Amino acid sequence: MAAKITYAVTAAVLVVYFVLVGSRGVMLLQHGTLLTVTFGVAVLVLPVIGVWFLWKNTQFVKRANRLASELDAEGGLPVDELARTSAGRIDRDSADEVFARRKAETEDAPDDWRSWFRLAIAYHDARDTPRARKAMQHAIALHDGKPVRA
């Protein structure tokens, strides 16, 4: 729940920022000189890219949460079996061990979105966020019946 609140607050702050930056861009455009119009267009590009990025990430999170809910209803969510350090961080060796099992599971069932979902969690626990995201995108595509890129 804390992650959802943090995401919502961050998204709201970004939207306020986009509005403020966008209004400055419009003001520059309204000034009408070649220089201010050029800067105005450049300034307006930033909120457009930011809104696109925020939208894509929000959609990704919604889809991943939908898969998590479905897997939870099936009783297939991975159990947290990771050892932790005294500071509460995940032990690297423990994460690597779980990752090896999840990878083998995915290699045995490459067309099962559930195994890709669990692999994404294992990547995340092993602190490999880019691969975790790719594995989750793969799980979402398999679940939705979309073509999957190799």
Side-chain angles (χ1 to χ4, degrees):
M1 189 63 174
K4 287 181 181 182
I5 292 170
T6 301
Y7 189 83
V9 168
T10 304
V13 168
L14 281 171
V15 168
V16 168
Y17 170 77
F18 297 150
V19 169
L20 290 173
V21 170
S23 69
R24 299 295 182 206
V26 169
M27 288 171 54
L28 285 167
L29 288 174
Q30 289 173 340
H31 197 274
T33 68
L34 178 62
L35 184 62
T36 61
V37 169
T38 303
F39 279 136
V41 170
V43 166
L44 286 175
V45 167
L46 295 175
V48 169
I49 292 170
V51 166
W52 173 83
F53 184 75
L54 184 60
W55 175 255
K56 294 299 277 183
N57 277 301
T58 301
Q59 293 305 308
F60 173 76
V61 168
K62 281 183 173 181
R63 290 179 182 125
N65 284 339
R66 185 184 72 220
L67 264 59
S69 296
E70 189 172 327
L71 199 55
D72 187 31
E74 295 174 359
L77 277 180
V79 178
D80 185 2
E81 55 190 320
L82 299 167
R84 308 224 184 250
T85 65
S86 58
R89 295 187 63 137
I90 294 172
D91 178 62
R92 183 70 173 194
D93 293 334
S94 176
D96 289 344
E97 178 187 322
V98 171
F99 172 78
R101 281 188 278 140
R102 298 292 182 233
K103 186 173 185 200
E105 175 188 327
T106 304
E107 288 170 350
D108 290 342
D111 296 328
D112 183 13
W113 68 266
R114 293 161 188 86
S115 63
W116 281 96
F117 183 94
R118 288 187 283 267
L119 180 64
I121 303 263
Y123 270 126
H124 177 73
D125 291 341
R127 297 188 194 116
D128 191 346
T129 305
R131 286 192 177 126
R133 188 172 184 88
K134 289 283 185 194
M136 188 61 73
Q137 288 169 340
H138 195 92
I140 291 167
L142 286 171
H143 179 269
D144 294 347
K146 295 181 180 174
V148 178
R149 288 178 265 158

Short mmCIF file of all heavy atoms in Angstrom, two decimals, residues 11-48:
data_model
loop_
_atom_site.label_atom_id
_atom_site.label_comp_id
_atom_site.label_asym_id
_atom_site.label_seq_id
_atom_site.Cartn_x
_atom_site.Cartn_y
_atom_site.Cartn_z
N ALA A 11 3.30 10.80 -8.98
CA ALA A 11 2.59 11.10 -10.22
C ALA A 11 1.89 12.46 -10.13
O ALA A 11 1.93 13.25 -11.08
CB ALA A 11 1.58 10.00 -10.54
N ALA A 12 1.28 12.75 -8.99
CA ALA A 12 0.60 14.03 -8.81
C ALA A 12 1.59 15.19 -8.87
O ALA A 12 1.33 16.22 -9.50
CB ALA A 12 -0.16 14.05 -7.49
N VAL A 13 2.74 15.04 -8.23
CA VAL A 13 3.77 16.08 -8.27
C VAL A 13 4.25 16.28 -9.71
O VAL A 13 4.44 17.42 -10.17
CB VAL A 13 4.94 15.73 -7.32
CG1 VAL A 13 6.15 16.63 -7.56
CG2 VAL A 13 4.49 15.81 -5.88
N LEU A 14 4.44 15.18 -10.43
CA LEU A 14 4.87 15.30 -11.83
C LEU A 14 3.82 16.01 -12.68
O LEU A 14 4.17 16.83 -13.53
CB LEU A 14 5.16 13.91 -12.41
CG LEU A 14 6.50 13.31 -12.03
CD1 LEU A 14 6.57 11.86 -12.49
CD2 LEU A 14 7.64 14.12 -12.61
N VAL A 15 2.56 15.71 -12.46
CA VAL A 15 1.50 16.38 -13.23
C VAL A 15 1.50 17.88 -12.95
O VAL A 15 1.39 18.69 -13.88
CB VAL A 15 0.12 15.75 -12.93
CG1 VAL A 15 -1.01 16.60 -13.47
CG2 VAL A 15 0.05 14.33 -13.50
N VAL A 16 1.67 18.26 -11.69
CA VAL A 16 1.76 19.69 -11.35
C VAL A 16 2.96 20.31 -12.06
O VAL A 16 2.85 21.40 -12.64
CB VAL A 16 1.83 19.90 -9.82
CG1 VAL A 16 2.21 21.33 -9.47
CG2 VAL A 16 0.52 19.50 -9.17
N TYR A 17 4.08 19.62 -12.03
CA TYR A 17 5.28 20.10 -12.72
C TYR A 17 5.02 20.26 -14.21
O TYR A 17 5.40 21.27 -14.82
CB TYR A 17 6.45 19.14 -12.47
CG TYR A 17 7.65 19.42 -13.32
CD1 TYR A 17 8.50 20.48 -13.04
CD2 TYR A 17 7.92 18.63 -14.43
CE1 TYR A 17 9.60 20.75 -13.83
CE2 TYR A 17 9.02 18.89 -15.23
CZ TYR A 17 9.86 19.95 -14.93
OH TYR A 17 10.94 20.20 -15.73
N PHE A 18 4.36 19.27 -14.83
CA PHE A 18 4.08 19.34 -16.27
C PHE A 18 3.20 20.55 -16.59
O PHE A 18 3.40 21.23 -17.60
CB PHE A 18 3.40 18.06 -16.76
CG PHE A 18 4.25 16.82 -16.62
CD1 PHE A 18 3.66 15.58 -16.42
CD2 PHE A 18 5.63 16.88 -16.67
CE1 PHE A 18 4.41 14.44 -16.29
CE2 PHE A 18 6.41 15.73 -16.53
CZ PHE A 18 5.80 14.51 -16.35
N VAL A 19 2.22 20.81 -15.73
CA VAL A 19 1.33 21.95 -15.95
C VAL A 19 2.12 23.26 -15.83
O VAL A 19 1.98 24.16 -16.66
CB VAL A 19 0.14 21.92 -14.95
CG1 VAL A 19 -0.62 23.23 -14.97
CG2 VAL A 19 -0.78 20.74 -15.28
N LEU A 20 2.96 23.37 -14.82
CA LEU A 20 3.76 24.59 -14.65
C LEU A 20 4.71 24.81 -15.82
O LEU A 20 4.80 25.92 -16.36
CB LEU A 20 4.54 24.53 -13.33
CG LEU A 20 3.73 24.65 -12.05
CD1 LEU A 20 4.61 24.42 -10.83
CD2 LEU A 20 3.05 26.00 -11.98
N VAL A 21 5.41 23.76 -16.21
CA VAL A 21 6.34 23.88 -17.34
C VAL A 21 5.57 24.18 -18.62
O VAL A 21 5.98 25.03 -19.42
CB VAL A 21 7.20 22.61 -17.49
CG1 VAL A 21 7.99 22.61 -18.78
CG2 VAL A 21 8.16 22.48 -16.31
N GLY A 22 4.44 23.51 -18.81
CA GLY A 22 3.62 23.75 -20.01
C GLY A 22 3.13 25.18 -20.07
O GLY A 22 3.12 25.80 -21.14
N SER A 23 2.73 25.73 -18.93
CA SER A 23 2.25 27.12 -18.93
C SER A 23 3.38 28.09 -19.29
O SER A 23 3.16 29.08 -19.99
CB SER A 23 1.64 27.48 -17.58
OG SER A 23 2.62 27.54 -16.57
N ARG A 24 4.59 27.79 -18.84
CA ARG A 24 5.74 28.63 -19.21
C ARG A 24 6.02 28.53 -20.70
O ARG A 24 6.35 29.53 -21.35
CB ARG A 24 6.99 28.23 -18.43
CG ARG A 24 6.88 28.38 -16.95
CD ARG A 24 6.72 29.82 -16.55
NE ARG A 24 6.64 29.89 -15.10
CZ ARG A 24 6.04 30.85 -14.46
NH1 ARG A 24 5.44 31.81 -15.10
NH2 ARG A 24 6.01 30.85 -13.15
N GLY A 25 5.88 27.33 -21.24
CA GLY A 25 6.06 27.16 -22.68
C GLY A 25 5.05 27.95 -23.48
O GLY A 25 5.38 28.59 -24.49
N VAL A 26 3.80 27.92 -23.05
CA VAL A 26 2.73 28.68 -23.72
C VAL A 26 3.01 30.17 -23.62
O VAL A 26 2.84 30.92 -24.60
CB VAL A 26 1.35 28.32 -23.13
CG1 VAL A 26 0.28 29.27 -23.64
CG2 VAL A 26 0.99 26.87 -23.47
N MET A 27 3.47 30.63 -22.46
CA MET A 27 3.80 32.05 -22.29
C MET A 27 4.91 32.47 -23.25
O MET A 27 4.86 33.55 -23.85
CB MET A 27 4.21 32.34 -20.84
CG MET A 27 3.05 32.30 -19.87
SD MET A 27 3.51 32.38 -18.11
CE MET A 27 4.50 33.83 -18.03
N LEU A 28 5.89 31.60 -23.41
CA LEU A 28 6.97 31.90 -24.35
C LEU A 28 6.44 31.97 -25.79
O LEU A 28 6.86 32.82 -26.57
CB LEU A 28 8.09 30.86 -24.24
CG LEU A 28 8.99 30.98 -23.01
CD1 LEU A 28 9.85 29.72 -22.85
CD2 LEU A 28 9.87 32.22 -23.10
N LEU A 29 5.54 31.05 -26.13
CA LEU A 29 4.96 31.06 -27.48
C LEU A 29 4.16 32.34 -27.71
O LEU A 29 4.20 32.92 -28.81
CB LEU A 29 4.05 29.85 -27.68
CG LEU A 29 4.72 28.49 -27.82
CD1 LEU A 29 3.67 27.40 -27.87
CD2 LEU A 29 5.60 28.44 -29.05
N GLN A 30 3.44 32.79 -26.70
CA GLN A 30 2.60 33.97 -26.84
C GLN A 30 3.42 35.25 -26.99
O GLN A 30 2.94 36.23 -27.53
CB GLN A 30 1.66 34.11 -25.62
CG GLN A 30 0.58 33.06 -25.61
CD GLN A 30 -0.24 33.07 -24.32
OE1 GLN A 30 0.19 33.59 -23.30
NE2 GLN A 30 -1.43 32.47 -24.39
N HIS A 31 4.65 35.22 -26.52
CA HIS A 31 5.50 36.41 -26.64
C HIS A 31 5.77 36.72 -28.11
O HIS A 31 5.85 37.87 -28.49
CB HIS A 31 6.80 36.22 -25.86
CG HIS A 31 7.52 37.49 -25.60
ND1 HIS A 31 8.40 38.02 -26.51
CD2 HIS A 31 7.49 38.34 -24.55
CE1 HIS A 31 8.88 39.15 -26.03
NE2 HIS A 31 8.33 39.37 -24.83
N GLY A 32 5.91 35.69 -28.93
CA GLY A 32 5.90 35.86 -30.37
C GLY A 32 7.20 36.12 -31.10
O GLY A 32 7.21 36.17 -32.32
N THR A 33 8.31 36.27 -30.42
CA THR A 33 9.56 36.46 -31.16
C THR A 33 10.12 35.11 -31.57
O THR A 33 9.75 34.07 -31.00
CB THR A 33 10.61 37.21 -30.30
OG1 THR A 33 11.02 36.35 -29.23
CG2 THR A 33 10.07 38.52 -29.76
N LEU A 34 11.01 35.10 -32.51
CA LEU A 34 11.60 33.85 -33.01
C LEU A 34 12.27 33.09 -31.87
O LEU A 34 12.10 31.87 -31.74
CB LEU A 34 12.61 34.14 -34.13
CG LEU A 34 13.33 32.92 -34.70
CD1 LEU A 34 12.33 31.96 -35.33
CD2 LEU A 34 14.38 33.34 -35.70
N LEU A 35 13.01 33.80 -31.04
CA LEU A 35 13.72 33.16 -29.94
C LEU A 35 12.76 32.57 -28.90
O LEU A 35 12.91 31.43 -28.48
CB LEU A 35 14.66 34.17 -29.26
CG LEU A 35 15.55 33.62 -28.16
CD1 LEU A 35 16.49 32.55 -28.72
CD2 LEU A 35 16.33 34.74 -27.51
N THR A 36 11.75 33.33 -28.50
CA THR A 36 10.82 32.83 -27.47
C THR A 36 9.94 31.70 -28.00
O THR A 36 9.62 30.78 -27.26
CB THR A 36 9.94 33.96 -26.90
OG1 THR A 36 9.17 34.53 -27.94
CG2 THR A 36 10.78 35.00 -26.19
N VAL A 37 9.57 31.78 -29.27
CA VAL A 37 8.78 30.68 -29.86
C VAL A 37 9.63 29.41 -29.90
O VAL A 37 9.14 28.32 -29.57
CB VAL A 37 8.26 31.07 -31.26
CG1 VAL A 37 7.68 29.85 -31.98
CG2 VAL A 37 7.21 32.16 -31.14
N THR A 38 10.88 29.53 -30.28
CA THR A 38 11.78 28.37 -30.32
C THR A 38 11.93 27.77 -28.93
O THR A 38 11.81 26.55 -28.75
CB THR A 38 13.16 28.78 -30.87
OG1 THR A 38 12.99 29.36 -32.15
CG2 THR A 38 14.08 27.58 -30.96
N PHE A 39 12.18 28.62 -27.93
CA PHE A 39 12.29 28.13 -26.56
C PHE A 39 10.95 27.57 -26.07
O PHE A 39 10.92 26.57 -25.34
CB PHE A 39 12.77 29.22 -25.61
CG PHE A 39 14.26 29.43 -25.62
CD1 PHE A 39 14.79 30.70 -25.66
CD2 PHE A 39 15.13 28.35 -25.60
CE1 PHE A 39 16.16 30.90 -25.66
CE2 PHE A 39 16.50 28.54 -25.60
CZ PHE A 39 17.02 29.82 -25.63
N GLY A 40 9.87 28.19 -26.43
CA GLY A 40 8.55 27.73 -26.02
C GLY A 40 8.26 26.33 -26.52
O GLY A 40 7.76 25.48 -25.77
N VAL A 41 8.58 26.08 -27.78
CA VAL A 41 8.40 24.73 -28.35
C VAL A 41 9.30 23.74 -27.62
O VAL A 41 8.86 22.63 -27.27
CB VAL A 41 8.66 24.74 -29.87
CG1 VAL A 41 8.72 23.32 -30.42
CG2 VAL A 41 7.59 25.55 -30.59
N ALA A 42 10.55 24.12 -27.39
CA ALA A 42 11.48 23.24 -26.69
C ALA A 42 10.99 22.93 -25.27
O ALA A 42 11.08 21.79 -24.81
CB ALA A 42 12.87 23.87 -26.65
N VAL A 43 10.46 23.94 -24.61
CA VAL A 43 9.96 23.75 -23.24
C VAL A 43 8.71 22.86 -23.25
O VAL A 43 8.52 22.04 -22.35
CB VAL A 43 9.68 25.12 -22.58
CG1 VAL A 43 8.86 24.96 -21.31
CG2 VAL A 43 10.98 25.83 -22.27
N LEU A 44 7.87 22.97 -24.27
CA LEU A 44 6.65 22.15 -24.33
C LEU A 44 6.94 20.69 -24.63
O LEU A 44 6.12 19.82 -24.31
CB LEU A 44 5.68 22.73 -25.36
CG LEU A 44 4.96 24.00 -24.93
CD1 LEU A 44 4.12 24.54 -26.08
CD2 LEU A 44 4.10 23.75 -23.71
N VAL A 45 8.07 20.40 -25.23
CA VAL A 45 8.43 19.01 -25.53
C VAL A 45 8.64 18.23 -24.23
O VAL A 45 8.26 17.06 -24.14
CB VAL A 45 9.68 18.96 -26.43
CG1 VAL A 45 10.25 17.55 -26.51
CG2 VAL A 45 9.33 19.46 -27.83
N LEU A 46 9.23 18.87 -23.23
CA LEU A 46 9.51 18.17 -21.97
C LEU A 46 8.26 17.62 -21.29
O LEU A 46 8.23 16.44 -20.91
CB LEU A 46 10.29 19.09 -21.03
CG LEU A 46 11.69 19.48 -21.51
CD1 LEU A 46 12.30 20.50 -20.56
CD2 LEU A 46 12.57 18.27 -21.65
N PRO A 47 7.20 18.41 -21.11
CA PRO A 47 6.01 17.83 -20.49
C PRO A 47 5.35 16.75 -21.35
O PRO A 47 4.79 15.79 -20.81
CB PRO A 47 5.05 19.01 -20.31
CG PRO A 47 5.84 20.23 -20.51
CD PRO A 47 7.08 19.86 -21.25
N VAL A 48 5.43 16.89 -22.65
CA VAL A 48 4.85 15.86 -23.53
C VAL A 48 5.56 14.53 -23.33
O VAL A 48 4.92 13.48 -23.16
CB VAL A 48 4.90 16.31 -25.01
CG1 VAL A 48 4.55 15.17 -25.95
CG2 VAL A 48 3.98 17.49 -25.23
#
